[in-house]
Amino acid sequence: MEHTNWYKDAVIYQIYPRSFKDSNDDGIGDIQGIISKVDYLKKLGVNCIWLSPVYDSPQEDNGYDISDYYSIYKPFGNIDDLKKLIGVLHENDIRIIMDLVVNHTSFKHEWFKKAYEDKNSKYRNYYYFKKGKGKNYNKKPNNWTGFFSESTWTRVDNSPYYYLHLFAKGQPDLNWENKEVREEVKKILRYYLDMGIDGFRCDVITLISKKQDFKSRFPKVALTGKDAFVNGPRLHEFLHELYTDVYKDYDCMTVGETVLSNVKEAKELVIPDREELSMVFNFDHTNVDNYFGIKWIERKFKLKRFKKVYARWQKAMYECKGWNSLFIENHDQRRSTGRFNTSLDPKYKDLSSKMLATTYFLMQGTPFIYQGQELGMTNADLKTYDDFEDVESKNMVTLMQNNIFVRPILKKSLFRQSRDNARTPMQWDKSQYAGFSSVKPWMKVNENKNYINAEDEIKDPVSLFNYYKKLIDIRKKEAIIKDGKYIDLNSKSTKVFAYKRISNNGEIIIISNFTNKVVKEKLLSKYKDYCVLLSNYENKDNINLRPYETMVLKKEKQNEHN
Ligand code: TEU
Ligand code: CA
């Protein structure tokens, strides 16, 4: 099957089903709810959705813990609903990629239940069970710590054995060394591709191969052992195997969530000849406001650092002909409004959100929009520990309760960084539950639904929503955005982000003021004859940029002037 690389022309909208739209008044979003909003997606102009997990799951990590890959979590609907959704989307020329969570399953998966109960079951080798150390095996097999601030080992009741989980206890890691596990994964892939799914967002795909020594590592502040479980020795081999045995037969795409990978490692996953993944989803730019990639340790945002990260990734991907994703939000990140130097001040909120949107959207790669981002939705209003829903946040609370020393440092950053911030119900209108549901939703609706909601945004011609529509249009019309080379125009400026996209088709300039002050900018006079494709202000000045001003400029072809 020929690969058309359609994903290079895609604008992908991420749906977090639990919080998108409730169709049957139980307070939980569902697949029928998504179906009822396809016209909204169409209006926005996106041409692909990424559906966060809808599979059957005990929801310890909101679906990133799957107990049955072949059925749907009941409150979300059933397989027929999913088929209907695929049909309706395709009729509207919108593709759909699903979340593929195969680094781990849920501990409620049949495989794990059998493995846990019976040491001699064949499923034992689907996971990692290791004997503890010391007298009575009371010590864990090694000192590794996982992503949710706890040991990666949980003991099997009344047994010397422990099982490995890089995330929560309810998310045991699959043993990819076992060929049978890989065959199971291929079966899942084919099942959904044959159903009409267009591709997969591959959850924590850089963790699937582990160094097999299982030795303790030098202790780290977080993620001790990561050199043994990130970008492991057989990662490339496993991905290539999935490609040759499955992906190559479908015109599908794969985007790998490449946690903790640097540019060099990421390139190796997407160089087309290697036949591994279509694109990567990296976090270097979302780590600019923390230290050591640890989100709990806040670091002041510096524009120069932000630009440097983008320049590095843009150059590397262009040169290796790989492909990147462009995003500023997802279900694991706090909202971008109020982040990356943008402002929550009502005077500047919209202006600065449009500015940030313009800046990330027109680079090379496939842009992603996380539900509500197009409305300028803001962080959840989290006030007490009881407000947390997310397993990661709850684990942090336990950690703080057990360790008074870390408490003062972590408390503030927990509220600031909790993943719950991005998971509040979608704000469709002003009604009591924001049009998400007619009953009290599983998570509290943000009070600001009264002035941040889809209904108002759609009506207002200069809203953020309508601005995103224009950005999407520009991407559709201008081939330079897809193919052009990226050139940083003023890497030294601490206030202005400016870059050029250039190809045989011409050039496009993006200039953004990341401050709330008027900034003198030489580039304005340099490009004064270029025409304005889009801006968040009405008339352009050739000397100064106004607060959070952003513009997209294009050099007209000579003959077009006549
Ligand atoms: O996330 C993996 C991941 O490493 C992070 O984005 C993670 O949420 C963050 O480091 C925690 O601070 C993926 C999913 O996107 C996430 O929702 C899941 O919880 C996780 O994998 C496990 O499946
Ligand atoms: Ca529902």
Side-chain angles (χ1 to χ4, degrees):
M1 157 82 62
E2 196 214 340
H3 277 170
T4 60
N5 296 340
W6 56 266
Y7 59 87
K8 295 190 178 179
D9 295 300
V11 175
I12 303 181
Y13 188 89
Q14 185 192 349
I15 292 181
Y16 197 67
R18 188 171 266 282
S19 297
F20 192 63
K21 173 71 189 164
D22 175 20
S23 73
N24 61 346
D25 306 323
D26 62 355
I28 301 173
D30 45 59
I31 298 177
Q32 285 296 339
I34 303 172
I35 295 174
S36 73
K37 292 295 182 186
V38 170
D39 58 340
Y40 173 82
L41 302 173
K42 189 84 190 154
K43 193 171 281 159
L44 179 58
V46 296
N47 54 10
C48 182
I49 67 162
W50 152 20
L51 186 60
S52 275
V54 292
Y55 316 90
D56 205 6
S57 157
Q59 304 283 315
E60 301 262 327
D61 186 14
N62 287 359
Y64 284 90
D65 50 322
I66 300 170
S67 52
D68 181 0
Y69 290 92
Y70 300 98
S71 65
I72 304 295
Y73 173 58
K74 283 221 176 60
F76 288 173
N78 55 41
I79 287 283
D80 286 330
D81 294 322
L82 180 65
K83 287 183 182 161
K84 174 140 186 258
L85 173 65
I86 298 171
V88 176
L89 287 168
H90 285 172
E91 273 163 35
N92 284 281
D93 298 314
I94 300 174
R95 299 191 204 241
I96 167 172
I97 65 171
M98 279 176 96
D99 227 300
L100 178 75
V101 190
V102 286
N103 171 70
H104 45 267
T105 69
S106 159
F107 67 150
K108 296 281 168 62
H109 195 290
E110 279 306 311
W111 303 334
F112 187 75
K113 285 203 266 182
K114 289 184 182 136
Y116 189 92
E117 278 152 24
D118 178 4
K119 189 159 142 306
N120 300 313
S121 146
K122 77 160 190 170
Y123 294 105
R124 193 77 169 188
N125 195 32
Y126 271 44
Y127 298 89
Y128 289 110
F129 286 86
K130 299 279 170 199
K131 251 192 194 146
K133 297 228 165 104
K135 211 172 90 200
N136 301 326
Y137 307 102
N138 280 339
K139 281 180 65 193
K140 315 218 147 143
N142 64 33
N143 69 347
W144 297 1
T145 56
F147 287 78
F148 293 156
S149 320
E150 53 185 358
S151 162
T152 59
W153 299 99
T154 291
R155 190 166 184 170
V156 178
D157 285 339
N158 308 315
S159 139
Y161 290 92
Y162 293 72
Y163 67 87
L164 177 77
H165 55 91
L166 299 183
F167 292 89
K169 286 184 185 58
Q171 294 166 300
D173 279 53
L174 281 166
N175 173 11
W176 279 66
E177 301 290 318
N178 181 349
K179 176 96 180 151
E180 272 179 80
V181 167
R182 306 202 297 276
E183 292 308 318
E184 298 276 13
V185 171
K186 292 174 203 167
K187 212 171 109 194
I188 299 165
L189 292 172
R190 286 192 206 100
Y191 177 77
Y192 285 102
L193 289 166
D194 289 336
M195 193 184 285
I197 290 296
D198 299 290
F200 299 95
R201 176 268 186 182
C202 312
D203 190 62
V204 289
I205 203 68
T206 42
L207 307 181
I208 58 176
S209 162
K210 280 99 180 162
K211 281 191 187 149
Q212 297 295 301
D213 61 49
F214 289 95
K215 286 196 183 119
S216 283
R217 296 293 196 276
F218 187 74
K220 299 248 162 59
V221 185
L223 289 174
T224 297
K226 71 176 173 192
D227 69 293
F229 56 71
V230 182
N231 292 305
R234 297 182 71 188
L235 173 64
H236 297 292
E237 177 195 335
F238 293 157
L239 290 175
H240 184 64
E241 184 179 321
L242 297 184
Y243 185 95
T244 16
D245 291 357
V246 184
Y247 303 139
K248 107 173 163 339
D249 300 331
Y250 300 83
D251 185 17
C252 65
M253 74 87 117
T254 51
V255 44
E257 191 202 18
T258 43
V259 282
L260 300 163
S261 301
N262 59 31
V263 193
K264 192 169 161 282
E265 289 155 336
K267 262 166 49 178
E268 313 264 280
L269 296 163
V270 289
I271 291 174
D273 290 345
R274 298 182 58 102
E275 305 186 320
E276 295 183 23
L277 296 171
S278 317
M279 53 193 279
V280 289
F281 198 90
N282 91 86
F283 296 90
D284 269 8
H285 63 293
T286 57
N287 282 329
V288 296
D289 53 11
N290 68 47
Y291 283 101
F292 323 117
I294 302 172
K295 69 185 211 180
W296 313 112
I297 315 181
E298 186 180 346
R299 182 180 196 180
K300 195 173 159 22
F301 176 86
K302 287 264 170 59
L303 183 64
K304 268 167 82 171
R305 208 179 297 132
F306 196 53
K307 290 197 278 194
K308 211 167 142 190
V309 169
Y310 276 114
R312 181 164 75 236
W313 282 84
Q314 287 288 305
K315 180 166 183 281
M317 288 296 150
Y318 182 83
E319 284 173 3
C320 78
K321 300 195 163 50
W323 201 252
N324 217 338
S325 29
L326 307 168
F327 73 96
I328 48 171
E329 287 189 13
N330 76 8
H331 65 293
D332 295 332
Q333 302 282 326
R334 68 180 196 273
R335 290 286 184 178
S336 67
T337 303
R339 191 179 180 186
F340 308 120
N341 260 17
T342 64
S343 175
L344 284 165
D345 178 345
K347 195 163 133 205
Y348 292 131
K349 180 176 174 285
D350 257 32
L351 272 178
S352 64
S353 295
K354 289 173 185 168
M355 185 282 293
L356 181 63
T358 314
T359 311
Y360 93 95
F361 216 83
L362 301 178
M363 295 189 190
Q364 187 168 41
T366 298
F368 286 68
I369 299 172
Y370 175 65
Q371 67 183 44
Q373 178 189 327
E374 75 282 16
L375 308 175
M377 274 177 64
T378 61
N379 285 339
D381 188 15
L382 303 162
K383 289 202 181 76
T384 70
Y385 292 157
D386 292 335
D387 292 335
F388 293 125
E389 297 283 348
D390 180 25
V391 54
E392 182 191 52
S393 303
K394 287 181 178 162
N395 277 3
M396 285 298 285
V397 172
T398 313
L399 183 89
M400 290 192 300
Q401 277 158 353
N402 296 337
N403 184 336
I404 53 160
F405 298 107
V406 296
R407 200 180 299 159
I409 314 166
L410 291 181
K411 190 171 172 186
K412 186 172 151 238
S413 68
L414 177 55
F415 286 97
R416 174 181 136 97
Q417 292 286 55
S418 170
R419 304 193 298 181
D420 283 324
N421 279 313
R423 299 178 178 182
T424 56
M426 179 76 174
Q427 291 161 211
W428 295 104
D429 60 36
K430 288 189 187 51
S431 62
Q432 188 178 13
Y433 301 119
F436 165 75
S437 177
S438 62
V439 302
K440 194 164 178 263
W442 74 280
M443 196 180 176
K444 208 175 130 221
V445 171
N446 197 316
E447 286 304 321
N448 63 22
K449 57 139 172 65
N450 291 331
Y451 53 97
I452 302 174
N453 63 69
E455 195 182 10
D456 290 351
E457 287 279 316
I458 292 169
K459 276 192 232 142
D460 175 4
V462 295
S463 68
L464 184 60
F465 176 91
N466 283 310
Y467 192 87
Y468 267 104
K469 267 175 80 103
K470 290 180 190 151
L471 281 171
I472 295 170
D473 272 352
I474 291 182
R475 278 202 79 104
K476 284 183 189 153
K477 285 191 198 117
E478 304 289 347
I480 308 167
I481 306 293
K482 177 176 159 189
D483 306 321
K485 190 172 176 174
Y486 173 96
I487 297 170
D488 192 336
L489 292 177
N490 60 354
S491 59
K492 298 236 155 55
S493 166
T494 55
K495 296 172 181 149
V496 177
F497 196 146
Y499 63 91
K500 183 197 301 211
R501 301 295 314 282
I502 179 162
S503 77
N504 297 335
N505 290 313
E507 61 182 73
I508 285 179
I509 312 286
I510 287 89
I511 303 178
S512 297
N513 178 1
F514 269 70
T515 75
N516 59 4
K517 307 255 158 33
V518 172
V519 176
K520 218 183 208 159
E521 178 52 65
K522 283 194 203 117
L523 294 168
L524 292 173
S525 66
K526 181 164 179 196
Y527 297 113
K528 68 178 186 309
D529 298 330
Y530 285 35
C531 75
V532 181
L533 292 186
L534 184 64
S535 173
N536 58 352
Y537 278 86
E538 279 200 355
N539 302 304
K540 174 159 75 84
D541 183 280
N542 287 330
I543 299 163
N544 291 319
L545 283 167
R546 285 153 289 185
Y548 300 111
E549 182 162 4
T550 186
M551 60 187 73
V552 184
L553 307 173
K554 190 185 178 196
K555 184 181 191 171
E556 292 292 353
K557 285 211 189 97
Q558 281 331 85
N559 53 12
E560 280 172 12
H561 281 298
N562 307 327

